[in-house]
Amino acid sequence: MIFVFGGAYQGKTEYALQEFGAKTVSDISEAGEPDFSKDVVTGIEGFVSRCAEQGAEPSEYFASRREQWENNILIVTDVSQGVVPIDSKVRAAREANGRLMIYLAKEADQVHRVFCGIGKRIK
Amino acid sequence: MNVLISGGCKNGKSMYAQRIASELAACGPLYYIATMIPHDEEDRARIRRHLKERDGWGFETLEQGKNIAALIDRDDVDLRGSFLLDSVTAVLENEMFPVALKDGRIAFLGEDEDAPERVRRELVAFASAVKEAGGSVVFVSDGIYGDKGGYNPSTEHYRRALANADRALAKVCDRVTEVTYGITEEWK
């Protein structure tokens, strides 16, 4: 699995498609669950927010489906900076996002960070 | 040579950018593109502080808070010089959210939806024109993409537009540097 992260609007998906020759994308930023039959699963932070709203732990969701995403490219937007959100649900989502990113970074064969459309392998 | 510098707020981007711009000036003119359009005493005080900080560096100040491409055709501007544009963030703000003074108070005129594309095009045109002439531009922007977001639509449009401007500049710049508390990371 290749884990790609970076801030909002930095060109993470575009980078993954170009860098790794990926063809198909499952975008779950607005709705739905990951479709691991696609090369790339992006917008995972949106899925994390929806899990957190229902009290579910997204890192457990991923841990229990490990064999399904072992050969995927997983993309998560980094939301760890800035002021701690005042809304408890948003705060929970931000923390769950961080836990998931730590887990994915640990499990990944490669980790890439994207900045201004430029990617860099950091693991 | 064109350089894009970004990173968090108050991380030392401006000081680093000043140094790079003056190194790139070699023997040509050194310009500071002043992007802040002052509206009140607080703004004017900030500008006086910035002027003081740049004092002694040899910068010639060009007032251009909007319409950056207009610099290309100005008779008093030598494109072989070294330009410091601080910041992309301010230029985009000035163009996306124009204001007017009404009875001594600042009035917002609404969001200009054509501004993101126009600003991106003008910044790239300016970078290309200066590079072609043999000069250099150091662009300073702001990394405002790592937080939880959830802003109102105007702010989200602004964030997206700034990211797109940065990405377009990253493509035409020879160097892209992220500054974190004075420490630099080279991305390109």
Side-chain angles (χ1 to χ4, degrees), chain A residues 1-6 12-13 15-16 20 22 26 28 34-45 61-63 65-66 68-77 100-101 103-105 107-108 110-114:
Chain A
M1 183 266 286
I2 299 173
F3 175 45
V4 178
F5 76 96
K12 299 180 290 296
T13 304
Y15 171 76
F20 311 115
S26 159
I28 51 168
D35 177 357
F36 296 119
S37 71
K38 302 284 199 289
D39 301 334
V40 177
V41 179
T42 191
I44 294 174
E45 70 287 349
Y61 178 95
F62 276 82
R65 290 166 176 78
R66 206 183 180 294
Q68 292 179 36
W69 48 258
E70 271 175 339
N71 297 310
N72 286 89
I73 300 162
L74 304 181
I75 304 179
V76 185
T77 299
L100 177 63
M101 285 174 75
Y103 172 71
L104 295 178
E107 298 298 320
Q110 297 181 27
V111 178
H112 293 246
R113 184 183 162 215
V114 181

Side-chain angles (χ1 to χ4, degrees), chain A residues 7-11 14 45 49 77-83 85 90 93-94 113-120, chain B residues 4 6-7 143 145-149 156-157 159-161 163-164 166-167 170-171 176-178 185-188:
Chain A
Y9 313 122
Q10 296 302 293
E14 218 176 289
E45 70 287 349
S49 287
T77 299
D78 178 17
V79 297
S80 66
Q81 295 164 50
V83 179
V90 181
R94 183 170 173 259
R113 184 183 162 215
V114 181
F115 178 78
C116 291
I118 304 166
K120 195 184 258 191
Chain B
L4 171 65
S6 189
Y145 314 107
D147 60 349
K148 189 68 182 85
E156 209 52 52
H157 295 163
R159 266 177 111 209
R160 184 195 295 264
N164 286 339
D166 286 351
R167 285 164 62 184
K171 279 201 178 121
V176 177
T177 304
E178 182 184 19
E185 172 146 16
E186 300 297 334
W187 285 85
K188 182 180 176 183

Side-chain angles (χ1 to χ4, degrees), chain B residues 54-113:
Chain B
R54 292 199 303 277
D55 196 28
W57 285 71
F59 280 103
E60 186 182 324
T61 301
L62 302 169
E63 302 280 349
Q64 197 79 38
K66 289 182 177 184
N67 190 211
I68 290 300
L71 290 168
I72 298 171
D73 298 318
R74 263 172 66 167
D75 292 335
D76 59 335
V77 173
D78 182 353
L79 294 183
R80 294 168 300 183
S82 172
F83 297 82
L84 170 54
L85 191 156
D86 191 352
S87 61
V88 177
T89 321
V91 172
L92 182 66
E93 183 193 333
N94 294 336
E95 297 223 26
M96 267 184 90
F97 306 109
V99 297
L101 270 184
K102 243 183 197 165
D103 308 323
R105 298 181 63 157
I106 298 169
F108 292 92
L109 304 176
E111 183 180 338
D112 179 350
E113 288 173 6

